[in-house]
């Protein structure tokens, strides 16, 4: 039978710590992408995207190196590593999808944010641009982002129709008041729905991240290695 020395466990621990430090980079870059979707420059966004992709790649590579070490090939070490590895791979697949989907959303986020600031005659044009950018996204791998894009598209279509109707009103506080009020109230309704969609997305997204978080398996694996060193 294969004997595993203290040194073997130290090697595994060291390899494990490399994965952990890279995972901090991944979390922070993913967060920067998520919360900077419509802000900053395209260059800074793309650099963060590259850094997040690189972190996923580095973690896959470091995990491959860890998997080849003696401490995780036999007995308890093997069992502990298998649990950790299953969780980690699932998390990295999820992270990969998220990074791609956030990049898919970038263009529409910037365009739709700008549309929100337009006034007067430019309102319809701005919403039109926003809708076109949303439709350009198509299918995207992360399901929470996909659901959010679908909801945004539906509500933005409604907003476009209403804004076009609003543009035809010439006497809002006179003869066309009832019509004006009806359109205005429906626009408020759409704006509420868009806000809710954003709130729901952030909440669902955090829940999904929590579900795939490998932290518990990580902690147990780390504790196991530390006790053997």
């Amino acid at each position: 039978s294969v004997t595993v020395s203290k040194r073997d466990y130290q090697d595994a621990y060291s390899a494990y710590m490399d994965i952990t430090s890279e995972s901090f980079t991944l979390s922070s870059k993913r967060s920067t992408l998520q919360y900077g979707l419509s802000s900053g420059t395209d260059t800074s966004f793309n650099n963060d995207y590259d850094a997040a992709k690189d972190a996923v790649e580095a973690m896959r590579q470091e995990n491959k190196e860890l998997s080849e070490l003696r401490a995780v090939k036999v007995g308890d070490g093997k069992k502990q590593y298998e649990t950790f590895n299953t969780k980690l791979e699932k998390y990295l697949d999820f992270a990969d999808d998220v990074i791609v989907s956030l990049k898919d959303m970038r263009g529409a986020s910037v365009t739709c944010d700008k549309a929100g600031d337009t006034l007067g005659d430019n309102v319809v044009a701005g919403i039109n641009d926003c809708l076109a950018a949303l439709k350009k996204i198509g299918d995207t791998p992360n399901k929470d982002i996909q659901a959010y894009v679908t909801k945004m598209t539906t509500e933005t279509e409604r907003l476009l129709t209403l804004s076009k109707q609003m543009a035809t009103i010439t006497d809002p506080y006179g003869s066309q008041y009832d019509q004006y009020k009806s359109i205005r109230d429906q626009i408020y309704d759409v704006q509420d729905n868009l806000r809710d969609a954003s709130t729901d997305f952030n909440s669902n997204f955090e829940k999904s991240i929590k579900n795939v978080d490998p932290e518990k398996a990580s902690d147990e694996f780390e504790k196991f290695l530390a006790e053997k060193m």
Side-chain angles (χ1 to χ4, degrees), residues 206-217:
E206 290 310 321
K207 190 175 164 189
S208 295
I209 290 169
K210 223 176 152 146
N211 284 343
V212 294
D213 191 344
E215 192 178 0
K216 191 169 169 285

Side-chain angles (χ1 to χ4, degrees), residues 12 14-30 50-68 81 84-96 99 212-215 218 221:
S14 162
Y16 164 79
M17 290 314 280
D18 287 344
I19 297 172
T20 306
S21 77
E22 204 59 63
S23 82
F24 284 118
T25 307
L26 175 57
S27 304
S28 90
K29 290 298 173 189
R30 177 199 53 76
D50 290 342
K53 286 293 266 186
D54 289 348
V56 170
E57 250 344 282
M59 284 172 76
R60 287 195 198 282
Q61 187 51 43
E62 284 154 2
N63 186 39
K64 187 175 176 295
E65 286 162 20
L66 169 61
S67 75
E68 286 157 6
Y81 174 70
F84 165 71
N85 180 53
T86 304
K87 279 286 199 189
L88 183 68
E89 283 186 347
K90 206 171 159 189
Y91 172 70
L92 290 174
D93 288 343
F94 173 84
D96 237 343
I99 295 161
V212 294
D213 191 344
E215 192 178 0
S218 277
F221 182 54

Side-chain angles (χ1 to χ4, degrees), residues 158-177:
R158 268 185 75 199
L159 190 60
L160 183 62
T161 305
L162 291 164
S163 300
K164 282 176 175 169
Q165 289 170 358
M166 189 60 103
T168 66
I169 304 272
T170 50
D171 188 14
Y173 297 107
S175 62
Q176 290 177 298
Y177 178 72

Side-chain angles (χ1 to χ4, degrees), residues 75-211:
D76 276 352
K78 185 176 186 211
K79 248 200 330 251
Q80 291 279 352
Y81 174 70
E82 278 169 2
T83 307
F84 165 71
N85 180 53
T86 304
K87 279 286 199 189
L88 183 68
E89 283 186 347
K90 206 171 159 189
Y91 172 70
L92 290 174
D93 288 343
F94 173 84
D96 237 343
D97 286 351
V98 164
I99 295 161
V100 169
S101 288
L102 288 170
K103 190 169 166 57
D104 287 346
M105 264 190 84
R106 166 72 180 174
S109 296
V110 173
T111 307
C112 295
D113 213 45
K114 263 197 207 119
D117 297 334
T118 53
L119 297 165
D121 299 340
N122 299 324
V123 169
V124 172
I127 297 167
N128 228 333
D129 290 347
C130 168
L131 186 59
L134 284 166
K135 286 184 166 172
K136 214 171 123 186
I137 296 170
D139 287 334
T140 193
N142 177 267
K143 67 176 176 55
D144 293 316
I145 293 175
Q146 180 74 71
Y148 180 47
V149 169
T150 304
K151 182 91 178 113
M152 291 263 296
T153 306
T154 307
E155 293 301 330
T156 305
E157 277 174 334
R158 268 185 75 199
L159 190 60
L160 183 62
T161 305
L162 291 164
S163 300
K164 282 176 175 169
Q165 289 170 358
M166 189 60 103
T168 66
I169 304 272
T170 50
D171 188 14
Y173 297 107
S175 62
Q176 290 177 298
Y177 178 72
D178 288 344
Q179 200 186 346
Y180 161 76
K181 187 179 176 302
S182 162
I183 298 168
R184 186 196 62 190
D185 290 348
Q186 289 177 76
I187 288 176
Y188 287 157
D189 190 40
V190 170
Q191 286 168 339
D192 282 345
N193 291 348
L194 286 167
R195 259 194 303 275
D196 289 348
S198 181
T199 306
D200 290 351
F201 161 65
N202 283 317
S203 173
N204 288 336
F205 193 55
E206 290 310 321
K207 190 175 164 189
S208 295
I209 290 169
K210 223 176 152 146
N211 284 343

